[in-house]
Amino acid sequence: YGDHRDLHYPLRRQRQMCIRDRLRINNLFIGKPEIFAKFPNVVFGLSKKVNNTVEDNFNWNMCLSIGDNEEIVVVNREKFFNSLGLTSKNVVIQKQTHSNIVNIIEKFEDNLEGDAFITKTKNLGLAISTADCTNIYLYDPKENIIAAVHSGWMGTEKKILEKTLKILINKFNVSPKNIYAYFGPSICQANYEVGGDFLSIFRKKYLSEKGGRLFLDLKEANKDMLIENGVPLSQIEISRICSFENKNFHSYRRDKNKSGRALGIISLKG
């Protein structure tokens, strides 16, 4: 399926970060990652870029706001949701705004705005829209609670992942040592060039310079947020798939306005 090892991670660090990607994969989506494999009540899937039909110009896009044919998107979504045992009536999709807004939800809603959400409700999917941005999914088997986080550079600067963790800890009695985390496919540092102003936004350890160009490592920055807040390294899995390099995945940086959007969905079985 064209899985690419992130070239900026030395082999030793890859082992330390438990980067595995031994996933169930089919033509339409990647399934449950190894980190969630021992939890039968966790459902997970992340849609791929698929040459669907001649009329489908965005290649199995899941987003209604990029100029795609709405009827095609609705059909795409329903087919994807159904493959996970869900429907459009129990998958929550927020309007993502690169914020630090974390919503706690108990039932289906279709007018939310934010970039992370948390639920204990069974048979309710949490969907993150992505086409390069870091997308992170959390599960605590003790409290049986899930969260999903969209964290591009703005969300990472605002520490939305850390905010989500603190809500889990303070409002839901979650212990960080019980959290399992999966980072879905996203752009790798080797392909994520940023401007010099980022030197004043992110710690130097997350930036590398090559040929006078600067590259940002969002995966490492978000991984550190988990570890610094007590999540064990052995319970973190980071996908090796770079959405920019791997043409089986949507990438806005690669395809610009022709890029579709994927959905990553996590839910709890009833």
Side-chain angles (χ1 to χ4, degrees), residues 52-123:
N52 199 14
T53 66
V54 174
E55 295 80 16
D56 188 357
N57 296 321
F58 290 89
N59 299 295
W60 219 49
N61 163 55
M62 299 288 157
C63 181
L64 288 167
S65 61
I66 62 170
D68 198 357
N69 183 310
E70 184 172 325
E71 292 182 3
I72 291 176
V73 176
V74 169
V75 170
N76 292 345
R77 285 182 173 184
E78 200 65 31
K79 185 174 182 179
F80 178 39
F81 299 164
N82 290 170
S83 68
L84 298 176
L86 300 165
T87 73
S88 58
K89 298 300 183 183
N90 60 358
V91 174
V92 182
I93 304 172
Q94 301 185 111
K95 179 183 178 182
Q96 295 173 184
T97 58
H98 300 280
S99 68
N100 69 342
I101 298 171
V102 182
N103 289 303
I104 299 168
I105 59 174
E106 297 179 352
K107 58 182 174 42
F108 175 78
E109 298 185 50
D110 61 0
N111 59 351
L112 287 177
E113 181 174 308
D115 288 84
F117 35 16
I118 297 167
T119 193
K120 296 190 75 165
T121 303
K122 296 175 180 177
N123 298 316

XYZ file of all heavy atoms in Angstrom, residues 52-123:
580
model
N -12.367 6.703 -7.487
C -13.690 6.140 -7.278
C -14.468 6.011 -8.586
O -14.704 4.920 -9.085
C -14.436 7.029 -6.280
C -15.617 6.340 -5.637
O -15.746 5.126 -5.734
N -16.469 7.108 -4.987
N -14.861 7.148 -9.170
C -15.576 7.164 -10.447
C -15.046 8.326 -11.277
O -14.338 9.198 -10.785
C -17.092 7.345 -10.244
O -17.324 8.660 -9.692
C -17.666 6.293 -9.305
N -15.424 8.368 -12.517
C -15.002 9.455 -13.404
C -15.507 10.796 -12.870
O -14.831 11.825 -12.962
C -15.527 9.217 -14.836
C -15.217 10.412 -15.724
C -14.934 7.935 -15.412
N -16.711 10.801 -12.289
C -17.307 12.040 -11.793
C -16.705 12.494 -10.467
O -16.901 13.629 -10.050
C -18.822 11.851 -11.607
C -19.595 11.593 -12.898
C -19.490 10.140 -13.353
O -19.086 9.290 -12.533
O -19.780 9.866 -14.537
N -15.973 11.625 -9.799
C -15.436 11.930 -8.471
C -14.060 12.597 -8.619
O -13.022 11.955 -8.572
C -15.327 10.638 -7.652
C -14.948 10.909 -6.202
O -14.728 12.078 -5.857
O -14.869 9.943 -5.431
N -14.068 13.919 -8.792
C -12.836 14.660 -9.070
C -11.882 14.744 -7.885
O -10.702 15.038 -8.058
C -13.188 16.081 -9.543
C -13.945 16.081 -10.845
O -13.647 15.294 -11.740
N -14.945 16.946 -10.965
N -12.397 14.498 -6.672
C -11.566 14.645 -5.482
C -11.178 13.299 -4.860
O -10.678 13.241 -3.748
C -12.269 15.525 -4.447
C -12.354 16.973 -4.847
C -13.428 17.440 -5.596
C -11.356 17.866 -4.491
C -13.512 18.777 -5.969
C -11.429 19.205 -4.857
C -12.509 19.653 -5.601
N -11.442 12.228 -5.578
C -10.935 10.903 -5.188
C -11.352 10.443 -3.794
O -10.541 10.304 -2.902
C -9.404 10.883 -5.317
C -8.951 11.147 -6.731
O -9.205 10.369 -7.638
N -8.296 12.282 -6.926
N -12.629 10.215 -3.655
C -13.241 9.716 -2.419
C -13.032 10.704 -1.274
O -12.570 10.380 -0.193
C -12.737 8.325 -2.055
C -13.832 7.466 -1.504
C -15.063 7.279 -2.054
C -13.822 6.686 -0.303
N -15.815 6.432 -1.268
C -15.073 6.049 -0.197
C -12.868 6.463 0.681
C -15.406 5.217 0.866
C -13.186 5.619 1.740
C -14.444 5.006 1.840
N -13.412 11.927 -1.536
C -13.341 13.015 -0.574
C -14.484 12.911 0.438
O -15.585 12.501 0.108
C -13.425 14.347 -1.344
C -13.771 15.504 -0.456
O -13.100 15.759 0.535
N -14.830 16.219 -0.817
N -14.214 13.326 1.683
C -15.205 13.261 2.753
C -15.661 14.639 3.231
O -16.384 14.739 4.222
C -14.625 12.494 3.949
C -14.249 11.068 3.645
S -15.693 10.003 3.417
C -14.969 8.687 2.429
N -15.233 15.696 2.538
C -15.499 17.058 3.008
C -16.515 17.761 2.112
O -16.405 17.712 0.880
C -14.194 17.846 3.059
S -14.391 19.544 3.643
N -17.469 18.466 2.732
C -18.521 19.146 1.989
C -18.163 20.595 1.630
O -18.929 21.248 0.930
C -19.820 19.150 2.813
C -20.541 17.807 2.954
C -21.607 17.899 4.035
C -21.153 17.376 1.630
N -17.029 21.095 2.100
C -16.760 22.530 1.990
C -15.591 22.878 1.072
O -15.003 23.950 1.201
C -16.510 23.115 3.380
O -15.386 22.504 3.990
N -15.229 21.980 0.137
C -14.091 22.275 -0.737
C -14.490 22.374 -2.207
O -13.640 22.394 -3.083
C -12.973 21.218 -0.574
C -13.477 19.822 -0.987
C -12.430 21.213 0.842
C -12.361 18.798 -1.088
N -15.791 22.452 -2.463
C -16.263 22.598 -3.837
C -16.578 21.297 -4.535
O -16.836 21.286 -5.748
N -16.607 20.198 -3.797
C -16.941 18.904 -4.376
C -18.451 18.781 -4.536
O -19.232 19.520 -3.912
C -16.407 17.787 -3.468
C -16.309 16.433 -4.165
O -16.708 16.332 -5.341
O -15.822 15.478 -3.526
N -18.879 17.836 -5.371
C -20.299 17.543 -5.551
C -20.854 16.971 -4.247
O -20.421 15.921 -3.782
C -20.466 16.536 -6.698
C -21.911 16.231 -6.998
O -22.698 15.921 -6.119
N -22.263 16.305 -8.278
N -21.818 17.666 -3.665
C -22.330 17.278 -2.348
C -22.928 15.880 -2.353
O -22.752 15.120 -1.393
C -23.379 18.291 -1.886
C -23.893 18.023 -0.481
C -24.787 19.131 0.038
O -24.533 20.306 -0.293
O -25.734 18.813 0.781
N -23.605 15.521 -3.418
C -24.219 14.188 -3.489
C -23.156 13.097 -3.449
O -23.344 12.064 -2.806
C -25.066 14.065 -4.762
C -26.304 14.945 -4.758
C -27.140 14.767 -6.017
O -26.759 13.908 -6.862
O -28.154 15.473 -6.160
N -22.046 13.328 -4.145
C -20.961 12.349 -4.144
C -20.356 12.217 -2.754
O -20.094 11.106 -2.264
C -19.874 12.745 -5.165
C -20.413 12.593 -6.592
C -18.617 11.891 -4.991
C -19.446 13.040 -7.680
N -20.159 13.353 -2.070
C -19.573 13.324 -0.725
C -20.477 12.563 0.241
O -20.002 11.753 1.049
C -19.319 14.754 -0.204
C -18.796 14.709 1.242
C -18.325 15.481 -1.094
N -21.772 12.804 0.158
C -22.721 12.119 1.040
C -22.659 10.605 0.828
O -22.651 9.828 1.791
C -24.153 12.655 0.811
C -25.168 11.772 1.531
C -24.262 14.099 1.295
N -22.594 10.191 -0.434
C -22.488 8.763 -0.743
C -21.160 8.201 -0.228
O -21.115 7.117 0.359
C -22.626 8.520 -2.261
C -22.276 7.075 -2.615
C -24.039 8.852 -2.722
N -20.078 8.951 -0.449
C -18.765 8.512 0.040
C -18.780 8.305 1.548
O -18.293 7.289 2.065
C -17.689 9.549 -0.309
C -17.409 9.655 -1.796
O -17.804 8.789 -2.568
N -16.716 10.703 -2.185
N -19.307 9.289 2.240
C -19.353 9.207 3.705
C -20.160 7.999 4.169
O -19.713 7.249 5.043
C -19.977 10.482 4.285
C -19.066 11.696 4.271
C -19.778 12.880 4.911
N -18.899 14.032 5.066
C -19.257 15.167 5.658
N -20.494 15.293 6.131
N -18.392 16.169 5.776
N -21.325 7.833 3.595
C -22.193 6.755 4.057
C -21.542 5.391 3.817
O -21.627 4.489 4.669
C -23.550 6.832 3.363
C -24.658 6.101 4.089
C -24.991 6.700 5.447
O -24.844 7.924 5.628
O -25.391 5.937 6.348
N -20.889 5.239 2.697
C -20.210 3.979 2.406
C -19.094 3.720 3.419
O -18.940 2.599 3.923
C -19.634 4.016 0.990
C -19.014 2.698 0.530
C -18.590 2.782 -0.931
C -18.013 1.455 -1.413
N -17.612 1.516 -2.842
N -18.334 4.754 3.728
C -17.264 4.632 4.714
C -17.818 4.349 6.097
O -17.377 3.427 6.788
C -16.426 5.916 4.710
C -15.306 5.938 5.711
C -14.547 4.803 5.971
C -14.985 7.112 6.384
C -13.501 4.829 6.893
C -13.952 7.146 7.301
C -13.215 6.002 7.562
N -18.814 5.121 6.507
C -19.404 4.927 7.837
C -19.972 3.514 7.975
O -19.776 2.854 9.003
C -20.516 5.952 8.086
C -20.072 7.394 8.064
C -21.010 8.409 7.944
C -18.736 7.741 8.145
C -20.620 9.743 7.916
C -18.331 9.078 8.123
C -19.286 10.078 8.007
N -20.689 3.075 6.958
C -21.300 1.744 7.000
C -20.251 0.650 7.157
O -20.497 -0.365 7.825
C -22.120 1.488 5.741
C -23.380 2.320 5.645
O -24.039 2.342 4.603
N -23.727 3.045 6.703
N -19.079 0.849 6.543
C -18.025 -0.155 6.646
C -17.494 -0.281 8.059
O -16.877 -1.289 8.418
C -16.877 0.188 5.686
O -16.194 1.357 6.105
N -17.761 0.734 8.902
C -17.347 0.707 10.307
C -18.521 0.382 11.227
O -18.389 0.463 12.454
C -16.750 2.067 10.705
C -15.491 2.504 9.942
C -15.079 3.905 10.371
C -14.344 1.522 10.155
N -19.664 0.056 10.650
C -20.846 -0.240 11.452
C -21.549 1.006 11.946
O -22.304 0.967 12.919
N -21.324 2.136 11.260
C -21.913 3.412 11.654
C -22.723 3.989 10.501
O -22.725 3.450 9.398
C -20.807 4.394 12.061
C -19.911 3.959 13.234
C -18.656 4.825 13.298
C -20.677 4.033 14.544
N -23.410 5.109 10.748
C -24.155 5.811 9.703
C -23.934 7.312 9.886
O -23.337 7.759 10.868
C -25.666 5.524 9.776
O -26.220 6.226 10.898
C -25.948 4.035 9.913
N -24.455 8.080 8.949
C -24.331 9.540 9.039
C -25.091 10.112 10.230
O -24.893 11.272 10.594
C -24.832 10.192 7.750
O -26.169 9.830 7.504
N -25.938 9.310 10.844
C -26.720 9.759 11.994
C -26.015 9.523 13.326
O -26.513 9.943 14.376
C -28.091 9.064 12.015
C -28.958 9.357 10.803
C -29.257 10.839 10.664
C -30.185 11.122 9.487
N -30.423 12.579 9.323
N -24.878 8.855 13.293
C -24.154 8.684 14.558
C -22.642 8.885 14.419
O -21.867 8.358 15.212
C -24.479 7.338 15.218
C -24.103 6.141 14.350
O -23.633 6.284 13.227
N -24.312 4.949 14.901
N -22.247 9.667 13.410
C -20.859 10.111 13.298
C -20.847 11.626 13.396
O -21.487 12.310 12.595
C -20.212 9.670 11.969
C -18.815 10.270 11.833
C -20.141 8.150 11.893
N -20.135 12.148 14.368
C -20.090 13.595 14.597
C -18.879 14.183 13.880
O -17.747 13.746 14.086
C -20.018 13.921 16.100
C -20.030 15.432 16.312
C -21.166 13.262 16.845
N -19.142 15.185 13.033
C -18.089 15.882 12.293
C -18.161 17.358 12.664
O -19.169 18.022 12.424
C -18.257 15.717 10.771
C -18.303 14.229 10.395
C -17.138 16.425 10.015
C -18.665 13.977 8.942
N -17.105 17.871 13.257
C -17.080 19.272 13.653
C -16.612 20.172 12.512
O -15.906 19.727 11.607
C -16.125 19.490 14.831
C -16.459 18.702 16.073
C -15.547 19.060 17.221
O -15.987 19.666 18.180
N -14.289 18.679 17.143
N -16.947 21.438 12.589
C -16.322 22.445 11.735
C -14.982 22.784 12.375
O -14.925 23.419 13.425
C -17.188 23.694 11.621
C -16.552 24.772 10.751
C -17.403 26.041 10.706
C -16.716 27.114 9.869
N -17.508 28.379 9.846
N -13.898 22.351 11.757
C -12.565 22.545 12.329
C -12.033 23.924 11.947
O -12.084 24.323 10.784
C -11.628 21.439 11.845
C -12.043 20.065 12.339
C -11.241 18.919 11.751
O -11.522 17.751 12.011
N -10.241 19.212 10.942
N -11.487 24.632 12.936
C -11.049 26.014 12.712
C -9.631 26.257 13.227
O -9.261 27.392 13.455
C -12.019 26.995 13.396
O -12.081 26.697 14.803
C -13.419 26.893 12.796
N -8.855 25.211 13.422
C -7.488 25.334 13.944
C -7.489 26.050 15.296
O -6.624 26.880 15.574
C -6.588 26.050 12.939
C -6.481 25.342 11.626
N -5.654 24.253 11.439
C -7.118 25.539 10.441
C -5.776 23.826 10.186
N -6.660 24.581 9.574
N -8.454 25.679 16.113
C -8.649 26.303 17.420
C -8.088 25.419 18.528
O -7.440 24.408 18.264
C -10.155 26.492 17.656
O -10.771 25.199 17.813
N -8.378 25.811 19.775
C -8.095 24.932 20.910
C -9.399 24.528 21.598
O -9.422 24.214 22.784
C -7.136 25.593 21.907
C -7.775 26.757 22.642
O -8.802 27.293 22.212
N -7.184 27.168 23.757
N -10.489 24.530 20.826
C -11.804 24.183 21.368
C -11.951 22.671 21.458
O -11.772 21.950 20.472
C -12.926 24.765 20.494
C -12.850 26.294 20.476
C -14.294 24.302 20.998
C -13.781 26.938 19.466
N -12.293 22.196 22.660
C -12.525 20.772 22.902
C -13.975 20.609 23.345
O -14.390 21.173 24.361
C -11.586 20.230 23.997
C -11.809 18.727 24.191
C -10.132 20.529 23.667
N -14.748 19.852 22.597
C -16.149 19.633 22.935
C -16.355 18.272 23.599
O -15.742 17.284 23.193
C -17.019 19.709 21.671
C -17.130 21.119 21.133
O -17.556 22.027 21.847
N -16.739 21.322 19.880
N -17.194 18.252 24.609
C -17.604 17.004 25.253
C -19.009 16.690 24.754
O -19.924 17.513 24.886
C -17.599 17.148 26.786
C -16.186 17.475 27.279
C -18.120 15.874 27.443
C -16.130 17.906 28.730
N -19.172 15.529 24.138
C -20.461 15.227 23.537
C -21.031 13.923 24.089
O -20.299 13.005 24.446
C -20.368 15.160 21.997
C -19.380 14.094 21.550
C -19.962 16.515 21.425
C -19.359 13.899 20.060
N -22.353 13.884 24.153
C -23.053 12.710 24.670
C -23.985 12.090 23.642
O -24.417 10.953 23.807
C -23.853 13.093 25.926
C -22.962 13.565 27.084
C -23.763 13.956 28.305
O -25.020 14.006 28.207
O -23.149 14.226 29.352
N -24.291 12.845 22.593
C -25.191 12.356 21.551
C -24.824 13.010 20.224
O -24.009 13.932 20.180
C -26.649 12.652 21.898
C -26.951 14.111 22.111
C -28.411 14.308 22.500
C -28.758 15.733 22.863
N -28.225 16.794 22.070
N -25.447 12.535 19.164
C -25.157 13.071 17.839
C -25.475 14.560 17.768
O -26.526 15.011 18.230
C -25.966 12.325 16.774
C -25.798 12.903 15.398
C -24.656 12.646 14.650
C -26.781 13.736 14.861
C -24.493 13.196 13.386
C -26.629 14.285 13.597
C -25.478 14.015 12.857
N -24.564 15.319 17.194
C -24.758 16.744 16.943
C -24.173 17.059 15.570
O -23.188 16.451 15.153
C -24.074 17.596 18.009
C -24.608 17.379 19.420
C -23.983 18.319 20.438
O -23.963 19.547 20.173
O -23.516 17.846 21.477
N -24.776 18.027 14.883
C -24.296 18.338 13.536
C -23.969 19.815 13.354
O -23.850 20.298 12.223
C -25.307 17.883 12.479
C -26.656 18.583 12.620
O -26.820 19.424 13.524
O -27.549 18.282 11.806
N -23.817 20.546 14.452
C -23.512 21.978 14.319
C -22.368 22.409 15.232
O -22.285 23.564 15.652
C -24.764 22.819 14.612
C -25.303 22.569 16.017
O -24.849 21.668 16.714
N -26.277 23.365 16.425
N -21.474 21.486 15.538
C -20.370 21.793 16.435
C -19.219 22.474 15.702
O -18.965 22.211 14.521
C -19.842 20.516 17.088
C -20.683 19.859 18.173
C -20.020 18.571 18.622
C -20.879 20.796 19.358
N -18.518 23.319 16.420
C -17.281 23.916 15.922
C -16.184 23.634 16.939
O -16.366 23.826 18.136
C -17.455 25.418 15.734
C -16.221 26.115 15.188
C -16.460 27.574 14.875
O -17.428 27.876 14.148
O -15.675 28.415 15.366
N -15.059 23.157 16.477
C -13.949 22.844 17.373
C -12.963 21.925 16.682
O -13.145 21.550 15.521
N -11.909 21.557 17.401
C -10.865 20.731 16.806
C -10.512 19.506 17.644
O -9.562 18.789 17.315
C -9.619 21.586 16.550
C -9.835 22.540 15.391
O -10.407 23.621 15.602
O -9.472 22.172 14.261
N -11.275 19.272 18.687
C -11.126 18.033 19.466
C -12.448 17.748 20.150
O -13.232 18.665 20.414
C -10.008 18.163 20.499
N -12.699 16.477 20.398
C -13.877 16.133 21.167
C -13.686 14.826 21.905
O -12.807 14.028 21.598
C -15.169 16.135 20.378
C -15.132 15.680 18.956
C -14.071 14.960 18.408
C -16.202 15.958 18.134
C -14.089 14.549 17.096
C -16.234 15.539 16.805
C -15.182 14.842 16.291
N -14.551 14.661 22.918
C -14.456 13.560 23.875
C -15.842 12.962 24.045
O -16.837 13.694 24.093
C -13.961 14.082 25.246
C -12.545 14.663 25.135
C -14.010 12.984 26.306
C -12.116 15.466 26.366
N -15.913 11.630 24.162
C -17.199 11.008 24.480
C -17.012 9.681 25.193
O -15.996 9.004 25.014
C -18.050 10.800 23.207
O -19.393 10.479 23.592
C -17.507 9.668 22.336
N -18.027 9.335 25.984
C -18.141 8.002 26.582
C -19.326 7.256 25.969
O -19.588 6.106 26.334
C -18.336 8.112 28.097
C -17.164 8.725 28.836
C -17.302 8.585 30.346
C -17.015 7.159 30.778
N -16.790 7.044 32.244
N -20.019 7.913 25.060
C -21.219 7.339 24.462
C -20.861 6.251 23.459
O -20.020 6.456 22.577
C -22.047 8.433 23.759
O -22.367 9.456 24.711
C -23.325 7.859 23.178
N -21.518 5.122 23.574
C -21.268 4.012 22.659
C -21.990 4.233 21.328
O -23.021 4.908 21.266
C -21.703 2.696 23.299
C -20.892 2.347 24.546
C -21.410 1.103 25.228
C -20.588 0.789 26.466
N -21.106 -0.394 27.199
N -21.411 3.654 20.280
C -21.970 3.758 18.925
C -22.074 5.209 18.451
O -22.988 5.556 17.694
C -23.346 3.078 18.850
C -23.256 1.603 19.148
O -22.372 0.906 18.672
N -24.184 1.117 19.970
